[in-house]
Amino acid sequence: MEDTSTLRVTVNGESRELPAGSTVLDLVLALGCNPQQVAVERNEQIVRKPDHATTALADGDRFEVVTFFGGG
C-alpha cells in the first residue's frame, strides 16, 4: 500500500519528503529559506513569487531553488 500522506520531490538534486498538500511556499519554508530571497523552478518552469502559496506540489516534482544574498 502506497503512503499518500507524503510527497517525494527532488530539490536541487536531493530527494525530500513533504506532507501531502504542501505548496511551493511550504517547501521554501521547510528548506529554511526566506521566501522573499529565493527563485524557484518547478519541472523547468519558473514559479512566480505571488504563486508560491497556491502552487501545490505533486509527487515526483523536480525543483531548483536558488537563494539570493545581498552584500557589498
Side-chain angles (χ1 to χ4, degrees), residues 28-64:
V28 169
L29 294 174
L31 294 171
C33 297
N34 179 336
Q36 297 304 314
Q37 296 178 327
V38 297
V40 179
E41 182 182 273
R42 174 186 182 211
N43 302 326
E44 300 182 3
Q45 297 290 318
I46 295 292
V47 180
R48 297 172 347 123
K49 275 190 192 7
D51 298 330
H52 285 189
T54 58
T55 301
L57 307 186
D59 200 51
D61 277 347
R62 299 184 65 81
F63 292 91
E64 292 296 324

Side-chain angles (χ1 to χ4, degrees), residues 7-26:
L7 300 168
R8 184 172 297 274
V9 298
T10 302
V11 181
N12 297 346
E14 295 184 16
S15 182
R16 290 181 84 70
E17 284 191 8
L18 290 133
S22 293
T23 65
V24 170
L25 179 59
D26 295 326

